[in-house]
Amino acid sequence: MQQFLINYCHTFINLYKFIKPMSKNPKYSFVVPAYNEEANIPALCERLEILMKNTDELWEVIFVNDGSTDNTYSVLNNLSAKNKHIKFIDLSRNFGHQAALSAGLGNAKGEAIISMDCDLQDPPEVIQEMIEKWKQGFHIVYARRRNFRKDSVIKKFGSKIYYRLMGKFTRIDIPKNVGDFRLVDKRVLNEVNQMKEHSRYLRGMVAWTGFKHTFVDYQRPDREKGVSNYTFGKLAKLGMDGVFNFSMLPLRLGFILGFISIISGFGLLLYQIFDVLITGAYYHLYKWLVVILFILMGFMFMLFWVIGEYIGKIYDDVRQRPLYVINEMVNFD
Ligand code: UDP
Ligand code: MG
């Protein structure tokens, strides 16, 4: 009887050991949007396998097929049939990089979530260092590019100007020279997943949460295979989303223009009046009209600004971002 009980317990323990890892969430999730990346996916999977082979932790890689027109779907289908780490979401059409990334992030179950490109421009080897930083307690680890070797002069120049302006005009600190290659803690992801805004600028949204962050520098290699899908138009749209979603400057432009216009209008008016009174100069009617026009235009710009402020408030409300993000609560039950 005793032996039977021991055997029974052993069977139960073994069964538990078997079931536990199956029901457990992965520790690491890799999220990879893919648009026409048939040539890069197998190599990326291989490199991730090599990277993760020494860990006992569970991990998953979630590819998001963003309406590819090549064989991305069947490549993912084959790989995921052979390997349970590999999961994929197939979008009905091309929704764009940020939407595809959001789809993957919305389904990632890991404790640390790493988003990266499919084309091996975000080398998996950097991830080791990112994980180390996460273990040290950082909630966001950005991979920061150290070089823009093969990027066109326009892209280099554009990004320099862009980051400088963004740094000046946004209320939150969006890090420079980082793309969407980053690791975030589950807590950060939960906040980002709650943001339902349609025009998504994920690097800004992650920075907005305000959690403790750090950087890992790396040399960005050239795209392994295929061509860049970020056309100038797509890049410009992303940049605009960044400006419009995180800065009130465009709305305040009305105030600045109005202010300049009114001040210069009044300045000119006073000058002309004094000139007439003191030196008895004669001003043609159109000169008075121009001055008055300046002032009126200024008031009109000001009105635009007032309307803009209201629209800004409506915009803030419809986005329904959380009012605040709590990092820690002490001595609460
Ligand atoms: N991508 C996507 N949908 C698109 C365009 C790009 O999912 O409409 C993916 C693409 O497969 C890659 C990542 O987004 O994994 C970055 O794209 P790309 O390499 O073309 O951009 P670049 O590195 O040139 O800025
Ligand atoms: Mg790329």
Side-chain angles (χ1 to χ4, degrees):
M1 182 63 189
Q2 207 178 3
Q3 191 56 42
F4 171 76
L5 267 179
I6 290 171
N7 281 349
Y8 183 79
C9 283
H10 269 294
T11 322
F12 194 76
I13 288 167
N14 282 341
L15 194 69
Y16 176 73
K17 273 188 185 161
F18 180 70
I19 291 173
K20 198 175 155 228
M22 281 175 57
S23 58
K24 223 175 113 187
N25 280 335
K27 180 125 179 176
Y28 304 109
S29 297
F30 300 93
V31 179
V32 191
Y35 177 65
N36 292 348
E37 301 280 8
E38 58 176 7
N40 291 319
I41 292 167
L44 176 62
C45 289
E46 238 168 70
R47 297 254 297 261
L48 287 177
E49 289 285 351
I50 293 170
L51 178 77
M52 299 310 283
K53 77 170 187 289
N54 291 328
T55 128
D56 301 331
E57 308 289 357
L58 292 180
W59 58 279
E60 62 178 3
V61 44
I62 303 176
F63 285 97
V64 183
N65 179 22
D66 186 20
S68 299
T69 49
D70 67 351
N71 289 321
T72 296
Y73 178 86
S74 44
V75 170
L76 287 173
N77 218 5
N78 288 337
L79 284 170
S80 58
K82 282 187 231 143
N83 191 335
K84 288 293 159 226
H85 293 307
I86 301 174
K87 306 172 179 181
F88 79 98
I89 298 168
D90 185 46
L91 299 185
S92 58
R93 65 167 170 86
N94 179 254
F95 283 89
H97 174 232
Q98 298 287 300
L101 192 52
S102 301
L105 292 175
N107 289 282
K109 297 276 185 292
E111 284 168 39
I113 299 93
I114 299 111
S115 50
M116 60 194 300
D117 285 0
C118 199
D119 52 9
L120 295 163
Q121 281 194 289
D122 299 340
E125 292 69 28
V126 180
I127 295 167
Q128 196 62 53
E129 215 178 319
M130 294 163 88
I131 290 176
E132 291 302 320
K133 298 266 183 191
W134 173 65
K135 285 182 178 163
Q136 286 166 20
F138 290 100
H139 288 121
I140 307 169
V141 187
Y142 298 102
R144 184 167 48 190
R145 299 168 197 163
R146 270 274 157 256
N147 65 325
F148 291 86
R149 272 187 302 151
K150 282 247 172 119
D151 281 345
S152 65
V153 179
I154 298 180
K155 213 170 177 176
K156 270 190 225 170
F157 186 68
S159 89
K160 202 165 212 157
I161 300 269
Y162 179 72
Y163 282 119
R164 187 148 296 176
L165 286 178
M166 281 292 274
K168 274 219 154 53
F169 299 129
T170 49
R171 286 163 298 174
I172 55 157
D173 201 7
I174 299 180
K176 287 188 195 68
N177 296 343
V178 306
D180 281 304
F181 186 21
R182 77 179 91 80
L183 179 153
V184 296
D185 187 84
K186 194 167 63 186
R187 297 179 61 186
V188 180
L189 186 70
N190 285 342
E191 298 297 336
V192 171
N193 283 342
Q194 274 181 45
M195 300 180 196
K196 298 296 175 208
E197 56 213 66
H198 270 229
S199 63
R200 296 180 89 72
Y201 185 67
L202 282 161
R203 65 198 76 163
M205 288 155 72
V206 166
W208 182 91
T209 64
F211 284 108
K212 202 169 150 192
H213 70 269
T214 187
F215 299 92
V216 166
D217 290 325
Y218 77 111
Q219 297 277 327
R220 192 161 212 243
D222 301 325
R223 176 175 252 282
E224 197 89 343
K225 293 194 174 85
V227 288
S228 168
N229 298 304
Y230 254 107
T231 54
F232 185 72
K234 277 185 185 175
L235 206 62
K237 188 189 170 293
L238 183 71
M240 297 286 247
D241 281 348
V243 172
F244 285 110
N245 291 4
F246 288 93
S247 154
M248 285 288 163
L249 182 82
L251 286 178
R252 307 229 152 108
L253 222 57
F255 174 79
I256 298 166
L257 288 177
F259 188 74
I260 294 172
S261 191
I262 289 175
I263 290 291
S264 39
F266 270 116
L268 280 173
L269 187 69
L270 284 180
Y271 174 80
Q272 284 183 193
I273 289 174
F274 277 114
D275 208 19
V276 169
L277 291 180
I278 293 165
T279 66
Y282 171 74
Y283 281 90
H284 202 280
L285 182 65
Y286 84 87
K287 286 193 176 161
W288 296 104
L289 284 180
V290 165
V291 166
I292 288 167
L293 210 67
F294 255 89
I295 297 170
L296 283 182
M297 288 248 294
F299 279 114
M300 238 149 75
F301 279 131
M302 284 286 191
L303 203 61
F304 282 140
W305 161 64
V306 173
I307 294 169
E309 284 290 323
Y310 280 111
I311 293 177
K313 289 196 192 315
I314 297 169
Y315 181 47
D316 259 349
D317 270 0
V318 293
R319 264 193 308 201
Q320 300 213 325
R321 286 212 194 133
L323 274 186
Y324 46 78
V325 178
I326 293 173
N327 184 37
E328 199 182 349
M329 287 172 75
V330 180
N331 278 356
F332 279 81
D333 291 332

